[in-house]
Amino acid sequence: MLDSTSRRVKKLHIKTYGCQMNVYDSARMADVLAPLGYAPVEKAEGADLVILNTCHIREKASEKVFSELGRLKPLKERDGTMLAVAGCVAQAEGQEILARAPYVDVVLGPQAYHRLPELVARAARGAGAALDTDFPVDVKFDHLPAPAAGQGPSAFLTIQEGCDKFCTFCVVPYTRGAEFSRTADAIEHEARQLVDAGAREITLLGQNVNAWHGAQGEGLGALVRRLARIEGLARLRYTTSHPRDMDDDLIAAHADEAKLMPFLHLPVQSGADTILDAMNRGHTADRFRAIVARLRAARPDLALSSDFIVGFPGESDADFERTMDLVRETGFAQAFSFKYSPRPGTPAAMIERQVPEDVKDRRLAALQALLKEQQDAFNAATIGRTVPVLFEKPGRHPGQLAGKTPWLQAVHALAPAEFAGRVLDTKIVALAANSLSGVVVDSSVEAGERRSA
Ligand code: SAH
Ligand code: SF4
Ligand code: F3S
């Protein structure tokens, strides 16, 4: 039975670090806490419960968590704010969090979100810090409530979680566990719920999203085709894929499924075969080139994004130049690049030939300059063109809406609020600081996503 105090609206602040799966997980945590009376707020100050949904991928990412906890400690002392640490740092360093920040009330790994209400209640009773970093992935999805309405026109949906690839630099197989695919039925059910709640675009998420497979062994291509039949859904995307799992059927889906957007994030990490091998990526640079060629043959307007690591142990100047060559040849619309960060417990951290920091800095600067040049050129090429834009939310200035092109470019345009959730033909007129500036050409009809070049 709820008494009158527990029925009071409680303020929940979630701060999300890391990848899009953490963004999805944060939304699901808010969903499971809603029945207990928790409503999301923007600020940690004044909140009843603050959850840090953490990332462990690079050293800086996890250090941030401990400094943030230090900043939150006074809130706890002053207002009794309850503090929870979720996500991948919680999974990897649960005990260390309790040792270094004993004032934390709840520590829970990415597979324990459905137990949040219980863990929070336990901590509220003053029964001491609650820690749950068990690993039963499938159970979690069975216990998640329907996504709340009003999450906007663009939604995330986790279809696959975990990783069996064990790249030698990466903590994800340890923090998220073994590969797990949700069933096609469960995914379609959640997709329909999202569309009913207002989603026009769904991004399918997984650490290796294209390793997803259904009960009959069907792959991601089949799932995309099935979801594309959902009426009202305009756009589908998927991330993050691995080159090794890019199969023929998925490539074919890029050719024949108009709702599948012509933008793909396909991490390659390096252009040098010796480094790819030492990373245990399971493919060569030429194999990546061949996959890109087939994707572009299937969908000529496909734009690519990728992840790169510079300064992996043993990387020579010549190896790094192979990466620069690959970038020059391929052409990326966007990309993320990182200095290699040794992670405790991963094989690469034990390699003796670590690359000095100043060399990593130099390589990163050179790579980022090249990638920025490509990104600017890609964006500039859109100027003067009319492209379908999915409008999502108010822009930074009054009267503006912000949206995305099929190639994930941010666009802002003068448009009334009721255009949010619509895909409209928009002429791109200028390149602004962080987005393209556009003018809606025709608001009487929904734009077709697929146009003849
Ligand atoms: N599952 C995805 C990537 C997940 S992590 C994939 O397989 O591609 C996101 C990116 O972080 C990686 O692609 C990699 O570029 C980077 N990354 C992971 N571990 C890292 C480390 N130890 N140091 C630097 N960058 C790292
Ligand atoms: Fe990490 Fe490699 Fe798995 Fe990606 S494929 S999550 S980089 S181990
Ligand atoms: Fe970070 Fe975990 Fe995602 S380590 S990148 S939050 S899977």
Side-chain angles (χ1 to χ4, degrees):
M1 277 285 100
L2 294 174
D3 60 26
S4 57
T5 45
S6 59
R7 227 178 280 126
R8 155 182 97 80
V9 175
K10 290 176 237 156
K11 294 180 183 153
L12 166 67
H13 176 75
I14 306 184
K15 185 161 182 181
T16 309
Y17 303 82
C19 62
Q20 284 143 326
M21 193 169 292
N22 263 11
V23 176
Y24 173 88
D25 289 344
S26 290
R28 297 291 76 78
M29 286 194 273
D31 290 342
V32 285
L33 289 170
L36 274 77
Y38 283 96
V41 293
E42 292 289 318
K43 277 209 199 122
E45 285 76 25
D48 297 280
L49 170 61
V50 174
I51 302 178
L52 302 183
N53 195 11
T54 62
C55 173
H56 199 236
I57 200 82
R58 282 167 292 275
E59 189 181 357
K60 277 199 187 127
S62 34
E63 273 314 308
K64 270 191 214 154
V65 176
F66 286 105
S67 50
E68 185 66 28
L69 281 173
R71 273 196 295 277
L72 290 170
K73 192 178 173 205
L75 290 188
K76 162 136 204 167
E77 288 163 349
R78 197 186 65 201
D79 307 331
T81 307
M82 200 183 287
L83 299 180
V85 181
C88 292
V89 178
Q91 185 63 45
E93 296 182 9
Q95 295 297 349
E96 191 179 339
I97 292 169
L98 293 179
R100 270 175 76 175
Y103 48 90
V104 167
D105 299 283
V106 173
V107 176
L108 77 160
Q111 313 311 344
Y113 299 151
H114 57 293
R115 296 198 50 224
L116 245 181
E118 186 188 329
L119 296 171
V120 167
R122 209 193 106 141
R125 283 198 307 273
L131 173 74
D132 189 340
T133 48
D134 281 350
F135 247 138
V137 188
D138 44 339
V139 194
K140 171 180 71 174
F141 290 111
D142 292 344
H143 287 78
L144 293 178
Q151 293 183 18
S154 182
F156 291 133
L157 199 178
T158 293
I159 65 165
Q160 181 277 344
E161 196 164 341
C163 181
D164 298 336
K165 302 262 184 325
F166 291 93
C167 300
T168 53
F169 53 80
C170 185
V171 293
V172 172
Y174 312 99
T175 63
R176 293 275 172 170
E179 272 181 29
F180 169 79
S181 293
R182 295 177 72 189
T183 66
D185 286 346
I187 293 164
E188 183 178 343
H189 180 70
E190 187 169 329
R192 288 187 183 277
Q193 287 178 325
L194 288 168
V195 172
D196 289 345
R200 301 297 319 279
E201 170 178 271
I202 293 180
T203 302
L204 306 176
L205 297 180
Q207 265 86 39
N208 276 273
V209 72
N210 55 344
W212 180 88
H213 54 86
Q216 273 78 48
E218 70 275 28
L220 185 58
L223 183 68
V224 162
R225 290 194 177 86
R226 177 166 168 181
L227 298 177
R229 292 204 296 267
I230 298 176
E231 211 177 313
L233 181 65
R235 293 179 165 186
L236 277 166
R237 305 178 184 277
Y238 60 91
T239 200
T240 295
S241 36
H242 194 293
R244 266 160 71 186
D245 296 317
M246 215 64 227
D247 67 22
D248 293 346
D249 186 50
L250 183 55
I251 292 175
H254 279 277
D256 51 45
E257 194 39 77
K259 288 186 183 178
L260 186 55
M261 289 295 99
F263 179 90
L264 182 63
H265 181 65
L266 191 62
V268 61
Q269 316 298 356
S270 167
D273 288 345
T274 46
I275 298 300
L276 287 169
D277 189 44
M279 287 176 165
N280 191 31
R281 290 291 290 178
H283 64 83
T284 59
D286 277 349
R287 173 110 181 91
F288 178 81
R289 289 183 177 89
I291 293 164
V292 167
R294 284 167 58 217
L295 280 160
R296 284 184 164 150
R299 182 85 203 230
D301 63 345
L302 185 91
L304 284 170
S305 158
S306 199
D307 290 341
F308 298 90
I309 294 177
V310 301
F312 185 83
E315 185 188 68
S316 66
D317 282 334
D319 292 330
F320 174 65
E321 282 310 316
R322 298 285 81 74
T323 301
M324 294 291 275
D325 291 343
L326 182 83
V327 173
R328 277 186 212 100
E329 282 166 46
T330 311
F332 292 93
Q334 191 216 289
F336 302 95
S337 42
F338 313 100
K339 287 191 284 182
Y340 168 71
S341 168
R343 305 307 288 130
T346 59
M350 264 85 88
I351 303 177
E352 272 172 19
R353 291 164 57 215
Q354 298 289 329
V355 173
E357 214 49 35
D358 60 323
V359 176
K360 288 187 198 172
D361 285 332
R362 196 155 26 85
R363 290 180 188 163
L364 186 68
L367 176 61
Q368 289 189 338
L370 175 59
L371 289 166
K372 167 106 181 26
E373 214 175 277
Q374 294 190 341
Q375 180 172 4
D376 289 348
F378 181 79
N379 288 335
T382 339
I383 296 174
R385 290 183 60 198
T386 296
V387 299
V389 170
L390 169 59
F391 286 100
E392 292 173 27
K393 52 178 190 249
R396 253 192 301 153
H397 300 291
Q400 275 187 350
L401 281 185
K404 297 270 166 59
T405 71
W407 306 280
L408 219 54
Q409 296 153 292
V411 177
H412 61 267
L414 283 175
E418 62 267 24
F419 284 9
R422 295 183 63 192
V423 181
L424 298 172
D425 267 339
T426 303
K427 182 167 178 168
I428 304 303
V429 292
L431 207 59
N434 293 311
S435 71
L436 303 170
S437 166
V439 176
V440 176
V441 173
D442 185 357
S443 60
S444 64
V445 289
E446 184 97 337
E449 294 279 9
R450 178 78 118 178
R451 50 214 45 249
S452 41

